[in-house]
Amino acid sequence: MNNRFIVKPELCTGCRSCELACSFTHAVDGVRSLTRITPIDGGFKDLWVPVTCLQCDDAACIKSCLVNALKRNPVTGAVELNHEVCVNCMACVAACPFGCAVLDTQTNLIVKCDLCGGDPACAHFCPTKALEWKPIPKAVKKTG
Amino acid sequence: MKEYIGVDGYQALAKVLHKMTPDEVIDEIINSGLRGRGGGGFSAGKKWKICKNIKAEKHYVICNGDEGDPGAFMDRSIMEGDPHGVLEGMMIAAYAVGAKEGYIYVRDEYPLAVTHLEKAILDCERSGLLGENILGTDFSFSIKIARGAGAFVCGESSALMKSVAGEVGEPRATYIRSVVKGLYDEPTVLNNVETLVNVPTIIRKGADWYKSIGTKKSTGTKVFSLVGKVRNTGLIEVPMGITLREIIYDIGGGILDDRPFKAVQTGGPSGGCIPESMLDLPVDFDSLTEVGSMMGSGGMIVMDDTTCIVDVAKYFLEFLVEESCGKCTPCREGLYQLHKLLEKICSGKGEMSDIEKMERLSENVMIGSLCGLGKSGPNPLMSTLKYFKDEYIAHIKDKKCPAGVCPELITYKILDNCTGCMACIPACGYDAIEGKKKEVHVITQDKCTKCGACYAVCNFDSILVS
Amino acid sequence: MIHITINGKVVQAKDGEMLLTVIRREQIDVPTLCHHEAVEPSGACRLCMVEITKPEWDGWCDYVTSCLYPAADGLIVNTHAPKVNELRSSILDMYLARHPKSPEIRQLAAEYGVLKTQFEEIVDGNNCILCGICTRICDTMGFHAISMVGRGHGKEVAPPLNMAPDACVGCLSCAKNCPTNYIEYNVSNGNLSIWKKDFKMAACKECGKTTITKEFAEYLSKNRDINIDYFENVTNVTEKN
Ligand SMILES: Cc1cc2nc3c(=O)[nH]c(=O)nc-3n(C[C@H](O)[C@H](O)[C@H](O)COP(=O)(O)O)c2cc1C
Ligand code: SF4
Ligand code: SF4
Ligand code: SF4
Ligand code: FES
């Protein structure tokens, strides 16, 4: 997987377009889903940061799942959740240090970012390019 | 041990190890037509062949000595009386399929069988018949005893293997047979005690000799436990193909008190009842199955006209409801409801629609259940409904139990020939009988619980049960 | 890849995958009460039975539980053959007699035309249908806190000796996946109780929010090599909306 989320907080206006995109993309039977991305108020005036799942290499959610409902998609690199297997134990919700796996109380399903199958909708919808989905800059690649 | 060798014991093993290849052994057993004595009647040789041809790290041989049928003790008598015969049979099976380990699963209620088998195993180990390089060949085999958990369903093959492996003895649903994936998921041959004990004889005397006994499709002999209303009860060994009439009248000596024969129940709790019109049926695997019963492990219960057929069906269903492991719905709930319906009929509350209800439910339980217990569970009911429907109808329509068994459907009355001896008055535990000396006594029907105590003490046949 | 025929339509399947998987992939509705993807199939409820046959079987057909029957090339499956439907309504009728008060059972039975049982109702019974989903999930997760006890009609799900089970960490997976919602539990004010056992919830150091029990968090931290701090930091960013 070559692409990564490139986030530039200084460009984020907290407009929540990414949330809308996420929610509609993952709608179930026409019902908007809980979003997997949220711009959070960085604490300073007008500094917002869109936060979503980092698809960590050593993912705590995968490790916490005792029934193997969470697996990494070898193509997209996303950690994907199989709702048929999930037993709703909330381990992953508790284990994720960023709070990126959550229980959608409307559907009673755990939701987390799946990178929309490899082409995240949120990045397309960001009007200010604060959030982009593109190849990792070389300098970053070396260290990270 | 010495006695066993004295009667050609372990000759067959020696012959097999030194002169025969495993395939030759299997062919000999297939040729002999030996069929499983544990119930299914599957060809033992064919089972071995399938098992041998599965490539696997390990193969196992298990001897099924669970014998859970009430009143059956054929396998017990073999394990106690001829433990070496069982061991030799297992060794030959092991050689044929390439197994190095074997288990004998013995019912917990048979401590003496365990002791005898343990001693026999020890003797064999000491004299090099079990262990590494048996009789100087490169065949190695060891046998362990596993104690049964005391449940009827543990005799079922998948439940038995789970039990041997230390898990709960519940049948496992799988469409892969245990000869392919059995104990510890390895190919496993499971044979009944009696099946295995036949093996050494076949090897020694040859398949052709064995085939000459019995019928074409059911060869050899079979041990039955003959019980019930016959003069001579006990274990009998008879050639296959003998008729029921010969067993009951020639060997069993006829019905007790020369009463009329009514039915014979074969095949253990999930077998069926066979009526008088079929007494000339030859006893072999296929004929019994055809008439809705089975060979089973060889129980035979003879009934006369004082046996109520509905009550018999109720008895067997009750046993099966208790012994069902409860894993799958049709067996757990279906047998329970069948038993409830039978109870309803026996208590005089039956309706004609119940018969059809039972027939439909039985069929669904048979198709739907997971293991053999549920699949054959409705047999006692189905076969009695088939041959004795009138008796069911008498219970339902006339509210009468023709055999005078079902308490709610009979009355006790004192006839006019009562001498007024007063013997029955204290015998009745419910103060239901009144009467003065030398006057005809009377039973107060409301108080009578139909226990039959008065009937038992009356010396003048004055009590009428109807 | 192999080919099997389901209700007249030829579909692709992987050799050996269970029929139910193929059937569901084709969006065909087959009722199940003991099936859960997280655990091995058990074949207890028998509702998923289907009729199967093969051309070479000469018109003979068999009835098998699709959750356990491996797909094989050339198999012809009928998920709603008359006999299968009859069997399902009969089984649901038995369920209805045993659990007349369960809304889930009533609804499923009604779908198969059984509105009232023809058998004797067990009025004082409970709603556990003995599907074994709870015990199998608990075993699969590695806790083995509850199991089936007894046999036959008296079988029940219970912790050992019917006492608060040592091995239970209060993850609630049994209760949340019970098809009839039979297992009782209670979560309130940072406390959780199930199977007569009381737990304290692990609370987020920042916001005080709770997600799982302390025992469960400690278990995961220890056995799954996850920093315990993670569990005390459950700021759910996405939950702000
Ligand atoms: C409910 C149930 C109980 C059984 N009990 C016994 C038993 O007590 N002894 C036995 O030898 N076979 C029993 N069987 C049959 C075994 O499953 C198995 O078929 C048999 O041991 C195979 O041996 P065979 O081929 O030599 O007959 C039982 C089967 C069922 C379904
Ligand atoms: S909630 Fe579901 S995905 Fe998360 S750990 Fe539990 S079973 Fe796995
Ligand atoms: S048929 Fe009866 S004994 Fe066999 S698995 Fe089902 S419940 Fe258990
Ligand atoms: S408690 Fe629920 S999940 Fe467990 S066996 Fe009973 S019905 Fe199934
Ligand atoms: S789903 Fe219950 S038996 Fe297959």
Side-chain angles (χ1 to χ4, degrees), chain A residues 50-73:
Chain A
V51 179
T52 188
C53 170
L54 304 185
Q55 321 295 349
C56 316
D57 282 342
D58 184 24
C61 61
I62 297 185
K63 288 202 284 189
S64 75
C65 184
L66 300 174
V67 294
N68 293 323
L70 287 157
K71 284 201 181 108
R72 192 175 302 275
N73 181 322

Side-chain angles (χ1 to χ4, degrees), chain C residues 33 126-135 146 148 156-157 174-175 177-183 195:
Chain C
L33 279 173
N126 64 35
N127 282 351
C128 170
I129 56 164
L130 299 162
C131 68
I133 287 182
C134 54
T135 55
I146 48 171
M148 290 283 178
E156 55 179 11
V157 171
C174 54
N177 294 281
C178 170
T180 54
N181 293 308
Y182 167 66
I183 303 172
W195 298 114

Side-chain angles (χ1 to χ4, degrees), chain C residues 20 31-35 42-48 65-68:
Chain C
L20 184 65
T32 61
L33 279 173
C34 71
H35 184 75
S42 99
C45 75
R46 321 300 288 171
L47 284 174
C48 69
T65 44
S66 59
C67 66
L68 273 162

